[in-house]
Amino acid sequence: MLNPTYLASCADDVSALFAQLEADITADIAKRVAKMGRYSDSSMWQAHKLREASAAHDMCSRMVKRYSKQSRKNIQDAFILGCKEAMLFDDKIYKAAGMHPSSISSSQALMDVIIAGVQKTNGVMDNLTMTTARDASHSIQNALDRAYMQVMSGAFSYDQAARKVISELGKKGYTCFKYDSGTKTSLEAASRRALLTGLNQTTAQLQLARAQELDSDLVEVTSHAGARPTHAEWQGQIYSLSGSNPRYDNFYDATGYGFGDGLCGWNCYHSFYPYIEGVSSPSFDRDPAAQLGKSNDELYEETQGQRYLERQVRKSRRECQTLDAAIEEADESLANALRAEFAKS
């Protein structure tokens, strides 16, 4: 079993890494906007823009390579620790019931599950960063074009246009990751989701393999206050893996395990562990929110509000880093204007 609190923090290192990658790329683009030059000739401007776009692409490629190397190490460490944590907890229950589970290292089948989970998650991370350098190149071109057109229209001075574009870069970031569904999110959020989901699904596969190995049929699902409303319906209960025990609901049918919106699916903080009749006693409350004097839905809304505040903090931090980088490259008049934006952030 992986405790909900453990799952909530397991992706912190990787998501922080990708958040820094986003901030570094945005800062690099902002620097290029800050020193874009006061061009009036269109052909000279186009040549300058292409040079900066090419340089941004090269710089971003180097950044992605460096961060991806660290990401792979963090992912491997997270999987090793998470799988060990889950199996140690489960095996204590099996041993208390007189069973003899094999060690992970001695089981090639279990090792294959872990290796496959790491490789799959690394593949997802590679997909996240696959177009990052190209997107950064497009972002610098778009940013420079916006500033240039604003100046050429006569609506803004050079300082005003550069300040506006750099401020927007800090607020929005350089790009977003887009899922096949069309939903957009940051690299940081996408990486957190990928690691959390990958680790939870891999440990779940290990646990199911262990249950099959020891012919154990019952599991208890964890619970936590403020769970997703659709997940609150089945959390904290005992289920039958085979569906053959008339006292308990079928594990797969009740929890939606194996589907993205079910147990151990996308961003799910729930896990499960063996329940041995005559040895185990229920450990999780079906409605832990009630102990706090609130409904699960109330706590869920509060946690969503907390996540929003955390995102705003990260956004302001990125804005500060972006503006600070631009100030380093700007002339004095633009730097003074950017310092005012920095103070707001």
Side-chain angles (χ1 to χ4, degrees), residues 87-133:
M87 299 308 283
L88 279 174
F89 185 94
D90 288 13
D91 286 351
K92 286 181 181 179
I93 298 173
Y94 287 128
K95 290 176 181 177
M99 301 179 186
H100 303 286
S102 59
S103 65
I104 295 178
S105 58
S106 67
S107 172
Q108 188 59 49
L110 295 182
M111 289 300 299
D112 286 345
V113 170
I114 298 174
I115 292 169
V118 171
Q119 291 176 340
K120 181 179 178 181
T121 303
N122 278 329
V124 173
M125 297 299 186
D126 288 343
N127 287 338
L128 294 182
T129 58
M130 185 168 54
T131 62
T132 299

Side-chain angles (χ1 to χ4, degrees), residues 247-276:
R247 295 180 58 194
Y248 305 102
D249 290 337
N250 182 286
F251 171 74
Y252 298 93
D253 293 343
T255 67
Y257 177 83
F259 293 92
D261 58 353
L263 173 62
C264 300
W266 307 310
N267 269 346
C268 178
Y269 292 155
H270 291 98
S271 181
F272 59 90
Y273 58 99
Y275 185 89
I276 312 294

